[in-house]
């Protein structure tokens, strides 16, 4: 009987997938590092996640193979890491491989000194190539140790220098509108004018890009910003990347036209896309966007929501060992399920045309609006919708009988925070109370179970038990979500908790010599090189989110030192924003707060809830909302002297002054203009 490796009992589904491998995997920790140092063996740090298709392929080819495992076990201490559970470790080693080869991804396989300093690595390798690499790296380590150690020193030093942004005493915190115009122009130059998103393939949904464009349009009136954002949202919603039957988006499309998805579904991008489509609906009131929000939330509730009201991390791309098998259809299958409705439905979803994929199967997608299709087919739009909705229910019922993709039931605080914000934004847009109820259930559970006795957050939850200590992304994302949840619920403890978490960050994540915050707390486990996350990617960077949080809380609580820190962070990043704009669009949104009018709308009086909700019908990215029915001793400073007897008033305030209070939402919105 094969001896178990050291992964049994881990909370990560990804690590547990490897618990029966003949490779003697260890989780990251003191035991593995001590073993490597005592035996003078290099580390082999292998990083992936449960929904990663090529991670599964490499496991089948190499990590389940006794011959390969024997080589790995003989020469290395092998460590398996779930990148979602330990993003700090992932950042270190993926940046090392990126620096070495110019590209990186998952599965990530990085070789390191016994103390964790990386010296070489790559991504997926076929079995025979992997065996050769193992032999070559082992030979280098044992026969040319001094050269390998020098490489590790140089690489680690380079990693530390690459991510450190020092104080820039000469950098002005006064931002100019022409700077934000440059960021916008640079971003637009990289956008695909025909298919939306970034030019070329693969195509990733990048919500921060479209959110920036919507914000820029709101502040400047630039029609091209709205047009480009709308093009992207339309193309994604009608493409194969969107699950046309069940709702929700795949992680990316492999082509340049959003047609062929990589079928895994992640919580982090679906959560952000709920926010994005909800906010875009406020601007253009397109029914397609309302449908996307409703269907995506329904999908997440149905397939990724825990009994506690939190949301799991991901759904695999594969089922029965085949990528996308759960989602694709032959024309004959649709005929059998739908009968007389089949010809119209197949035409609607491009079956046999653009939807044709491989092996006679089709990815369902659309090629235009319902109104256009109904007109071409001589149908009433309402009648078309009835046929399509009927077909969706039948096809979904059939799909449920298939073997489902694997579920990664890991609960991540930062990703759940993004979902809380998405639900709060959906409630603000559509004012359907079930969105707010779900957001509050998730937030209340996190505030009860994801905070340690010392006041710090956890990154992961296993039931009601916190496991991995929290990273900056957890504090930033949850604080921002709590601010938004306060705005739509008027529940002041959410705002107070955002303030408490932010104070914790100031005390535990600040580092000497930089305005940015470290990704890991100074009290947490130290890695070979520190990490400061500031590039906005599919997920906005933790430092750009934290800078926003500081700015928002400074306005609520009159904390000028927090606004100053936010400004200084933006000032230190400004040159990168302008030079590499597509990697800094969440920072760009912060810059819009500094270059254009920013307001706090303070609503006071007995009808504050009603007027607050009317305000939320408007897309107001350059505002905060604070609402309260009556004053109290412990109110935040934003409410001071804002109450008048028997009146419900809206105070439109900017830094340092308020305009004349008004009683109607129309007047308040007019004052904003």
């Amino acid at each position: 009987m094969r001896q178990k490796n050291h992964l049994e009992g881990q909370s990560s589904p990804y690590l547990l997938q490897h618990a029966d491998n003949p490779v003697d995997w260890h989780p990251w920790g003191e035991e593995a590092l001590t073993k490597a140092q005592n035996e003078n063996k290099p580390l082999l740090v292998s990083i992936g996640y449960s929904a990663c298709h090529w991670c599964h392929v490499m496991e089948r080819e190499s990590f389940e193979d006794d011959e390969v495992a024997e080589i790995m076990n003989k020469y290395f201490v092998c460590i398996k890491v779930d990148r979602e559970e330990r993003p700090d470790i992932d950042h270190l080693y993926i940046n090392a491989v990126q620096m070495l080869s110019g590209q990186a991804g998952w599965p990530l396989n990085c070789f390191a000194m016994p103390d964790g300093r990386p010296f070489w690595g790559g991504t997926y390798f076929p079995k025979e190539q992997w065996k050769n690499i193992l032999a070559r790296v082992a030979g280098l380590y044992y026969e040319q140790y001094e050269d390998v150690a020098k490489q590790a020193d140089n690489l680690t030093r380079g990693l530390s220098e690459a991510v450190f942004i020092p104080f820039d005493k000469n950098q002005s915190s006064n931002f100019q509108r022409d700077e934000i115009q440059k960021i916008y122009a640079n971003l637009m130059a990289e956008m695909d004018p025909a298919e939306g998103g970034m030019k070329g393939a693969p195509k990733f949904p990048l919500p921060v890009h479209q959110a920036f464009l919507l914000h820029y349009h709101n502040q400047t009136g630039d029609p091209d910003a709205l047009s480009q954002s709308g093009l992207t949202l339309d193309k994604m919603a009608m493409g194969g990347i969107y699950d046309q039957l069940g709702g929700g988006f795949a992680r990316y499309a492999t082509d340049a036209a959003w047609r062929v998805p990589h079928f895994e579904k992640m919580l982090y991008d679906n959560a952000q896309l709920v926010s994005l489509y909800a906010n875009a609906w406020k601007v253009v009131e397109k029914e397609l966007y309302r449908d996307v929000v409703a269907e995506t939330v329904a999908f997440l509730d149905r397939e990724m929501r825990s009994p506690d009201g939190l949301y799991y991390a991901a759904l695999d791309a594969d089922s029965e060992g085949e990528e996308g098998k759960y989602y694709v259809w032959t024309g004959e299958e649709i005929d059998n399920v739908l009968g007389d409705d089949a010809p119209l439905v197949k035409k609607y979803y491009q079956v046999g045309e653009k939807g044709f994929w491989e092996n006679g199967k089709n990815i369902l997608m659309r090629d235009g609006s319902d109104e256009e299709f109904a007109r071409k087919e001589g149908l009433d739009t309402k009648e078309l919708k009835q046929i399509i909705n009927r077909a969706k229910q039948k096809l979904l019922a059939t799909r449920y009988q298939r073997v489902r993709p694997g579920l990664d039931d890991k609960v991540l605080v930062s990703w759940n925070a993004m979902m809380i914000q998405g639900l709060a934004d959906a409630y603000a847009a559509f004012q359907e109370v079930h969105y707010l109820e779900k957001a509050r259930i998730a937030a209340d559970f996190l505030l009860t179970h994801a905070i340690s006795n010392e006041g710090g957050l956890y990154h992961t939850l296993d039931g009601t038990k916190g496991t991995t200590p929290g990273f900056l992304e957890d504090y930033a994302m949850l604080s921002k979500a709590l601010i938004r949840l306060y705005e739509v619920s008027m529940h002041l403890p959410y705002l107070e908790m955002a303030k408490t978490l932010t104070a914790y960050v100031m005390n535990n994540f600040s580092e000497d010599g930089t305005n940015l915050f470290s990704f890991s707390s100074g009290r947490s486990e130290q890695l070979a090189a520190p990490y400061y996350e500031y590039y906005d990617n599919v997920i906005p960077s933790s430092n750009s989110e934290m800078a926003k949080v500081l700015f928002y809380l400074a306005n609520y609580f009159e904390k000028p030192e927090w606004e100053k820190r936010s400004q200084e962070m933006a000032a230190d990043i400004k040159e990168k924003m302008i030079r590499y704009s597509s990697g800094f669009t969440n920072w760009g949104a912060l810059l819009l707060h500094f270059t254009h009018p920013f307001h706090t709308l303070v609503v006071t009086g007995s009808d504050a809830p009603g007027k607050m909700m009317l305000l939320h019908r408007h897309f107001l990215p350059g505002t905060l909302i604070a609402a309260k029915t009556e004053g109290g001793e412990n109110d935040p400073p934003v409410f001071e002297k804002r109450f008048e007897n028997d009146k419900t008033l809206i105070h439109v305030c900017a830094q340092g002054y308020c305009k004349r209070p008004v009683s109607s939402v129309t007047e308040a919105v007019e004052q904003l203009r």
Side-chain angles (χ1 to χ4, degrees), residues 58-128:
M58 192 161 182
E59 181 186 17
R60 286 196 300 269
E61 291 178 349
S62 295
F63 303 151
E64 292 178 350
D65 184 272
D66 289 327
E67 181 188 7
V68 176
E70 184 179 359
I71 301 170
M72 292 171 67
N73 296 339
K74 181 177 180 179
Y75 295 110
F76 304 93
V77 172
C78 302
I79 295 178
K80 219 1 141 173
V81 175
D82 181 336
R83 79 173 184 97
E84 296 160 357
E85 184 178 59
R86 291 302 304 265
D88 55 336
I89 299 170
D90 179 54
H91 284 316
L92 171 64
Y93 292 110
I94 201 164
N95 286 344
V97 173
Q98 181 76 35
M99 191 170 282
L100 285 164
S101 66
Q103 59 184 14
W106 302 276
L108 190 82
N109 294 286
C110 196
F111 299 93
M113 305 301 286
D115 61 4
R117 287 172 296 145
F119 61 83
W120 194 83
T123 54
Y124 163 78
F125 298 101
K127 176 182 170 181
E128 292 305 316

Side-chain angles (χ1 to χ4, degrees), residues 221-433:
D222 189 305
D224 292 339
L226 180 60
S227 171
Q228 184 64 37
S229 178
L231 172 69
T232 303
L233 268 62
D234 290 352
K235 291 284 187 177
M236 287 198 305
M238 291 189 285
I241 193 173
Y242 183 67
D243 182 351
Q244 299 293 335
L245 295 183
F249 292 85
R251 183 165 165 254
Y252 64 90
T254 60
D255 64 301
W258 308 104
R259 290 178 56 235
V260 181
H262 183 40
F263 287 89
E264 65 194 22
K265 287 180 175 179
M266 315 298 293
L267 176 60
Y268 61 76
D269 46 15
N270 278 287
Q272 292 180 84
L273 289 164
V274 168
S275 285
L276 178 62
Y277 278 91
N279 287 328
W281 182 86
K282 290 184 182 182
V283 181
V284 296
E285 293 196 6
K286 186 175 284 191
E287 202 62 24
L288 174 66
Y289 298 173
R290 182 196 284 270
D291 291 344
V292 165
V293 171
E295 291 171 357
T296 300
V297 172
F299 146 69
L300 291 164
D301 286 347
R302 188 175 62 244
E303 300 190 39
M304 293 178 69
R305 193 172 188 232
S306 78
D308 297 317
L310 298 176
Y311 291 85
Y312 298 131
L315 281 175
D316 207 326
D318 300 7
S319 51
E320 300 183 85
E322 183 179 325
E323 185 179 3
K325 185 174 182 179
Y326 183 70
Y327 299 101
V328 296
W329 298 83
T330 65
E332 185 179 3
E333 286 174 323
I334 295 174
D335 289 337
N336 292 338
V337 174
L338 298 184
D340 292 343
D341 286 341
L344 181 73
V345 173
K346 286 196 293 185
K347 198 170 185 181
Y348 182 83
Y349 285 126
Q350 300 285 297
V351 171
E353 299 173 38
K354 286 187 178 180
F356 188 70
W357 187 37
E358 57 186 29
N359 300 323
K361 296 179 179 178
N362 292 263
I363 300 163
L364 304 188
M365 65 187 70
R366 297 164 58 187
D367 196 29
S369 69
D370 283 349
E371 292 75 15
E372 291 169 336
F373 185 84
R375 188 168 59 250
K376 287 178 184 175
E377 297 300 314
L379 293 171
D380 178 88
T381 303
K382 185 177 179 182
E383 182 185 1
L384 172 67
K385 286 202 166 192
Q386 288 174 343
I387 295 170
I388 295 302
N389 288 337
R390 184 168 66 229
K392 278 185 179 182
Q393 291 172 5
K394 291 180 179 179
L395 291 170
L396 273 176
T398 301
R399 200 170 81 174
Y400 289 149
Q401 296 170 24
R402 299 175 178 175
V403 176
R404 297 194 185 191
L407 171 70
D408 184 336
D409 62 358
K410 186 165 62 267
V411 171
L412 300 170
V413 170
S414 55
W415 295 10
N416 271 272
M418 286 187 272
M419 188 63 201
I420 291 165
Q421 170 136 2
L423 290 165
D425 286 334
Y427 174 61
F430 307 115
Q431 310 205 353
E432 296 176 19
V433 74

Side-chain angles (χ1 to χ4, degrees), residues 3-7 18-19 21-27 31-32 35 39 41 44 63 69-70 72-74 76-80:
Q3 185 175 348
K4 291 266 187 183
N5 59 38
H6 294 76
L7 298 183
H18 293 77
N21 293 170
V23 177
D24 187 24
W25 294 117
H26 294 256
E31 180 183 333
K35 175 180 171 69
E39 299 178 9
K41 283 185 174 180
L44 197 173
F63 303 151
E70 184 179 359
M72 292 171 67
N73 296 339
K74 181 177 180 179
F76 304 93
V77 172
C78 302
I79 295 178
K80 219 1 141 173

Side-chain angles (χ1 to χ4, degrees), residues 44-251:
L44 197 173
V45 184
S46 182
I47 305 175
Y49 56 103
S50 71
C52 166
H53 173 73
W54 287 102
C55 299
H56 300 325
V57 173
M58 192 161 182
E59 181 186 17
R60 286 196 300 269
E61 291 178 349
S62 295
F63 303 151
E64 292 178 350
D65 184 272
D66 289 327
E67 181 188 7
V68 176
E70 184 179 359
I71 301 170
M72 292 171 67
N73 296 339
K74 181 177 180 179
Y75 295 110
F76 304 93
V77 172
C78 302
I79 295 178
K80 219 1 141 173
V81 175
D82 181 336
R83 79 173 184 97
E84 296 160 357
E85 184 178 59
R86 291 302 304 265
D88 55 336
I89 299 170
D90 179 54
H91 284 316
L92 171 64
Y93 292 110
I94 201 164
N95 286 344
V97 173
Q98 181 76 35
M99 191 170 282
L100 285 164
S101 66
Q103 59 184 14
W106 302 276
L108 190 82
N109 294 286
C110 196
F111 299 93
M113 305 301 286
D115 61 4
R117 287 172 296 145
F119 61 83
W120 194 83
T123 54
Y124 163 78
F125 298 101
K127 176 182 170 181
E128 292 305 316
Q129 187 182 3
W130 181 236
K131 284 164 60 180
N132 292 334
I133 286 168
L134 292 170
R136 193 162 75 243
V137 171
L140 285 171
Y141 181 83
Y142 292 109
E143 296 167 18
Q144 301 178 43
Y145 180 86
E146 295 301 324
D147 291 340
V148 172
K150 186 176 180 181
Q151 162 86 341
D153 283 341
N154 291 338
L155 182 56
T156 304
R157 191 181 310 112
L159 289 168
S160 297
E161 292 170 354
V163 298
F164 189 78
I165 305 290
F167 291 126
D168 188 348
K169 295 177 182 177
N170 299 318
Q171 183 65 262
S172 171
S173 294
N174 293 320
F175 306 107
Q176 306 301 319
R177 290 195 177 186
D178 67 331
E179 292 169 335
I180 198 72
Q181 289 164 358
K182 287 177 185 175
I183 293 169
Y184 166 67
N186 291 343
L187 178 65
M188 288 291 280
E190 295 189 56
M191 289 286 180
D192 185 334
E195 298 294 340
M198 301 290 281
K199 291 176 181 174
K203 276 267 200 291
F204 282 84
L206 291 164
V208 289
H209 286 179
Q210 310 314 318
F212 171 79
L213 291 177
L214 286 174
H215 190 162
Y216 188 85
H217 166 74
N218 176 269
Q219 297 285 16
T220 67
D222 189 305
D224 292 339
L226 180 60
S227 171
Q228 184 64 37
S229 178
L231 172 69
T232 303
L233 268 62
D234 290 352
K235 291 284 187 177
M236 287 198 305
M238 291 189 285
I241 193 173
Y242 183 67
D243 182 351
Q244 299 293 335
L245 295 183
F249 292 85
R251 183 165 165 254

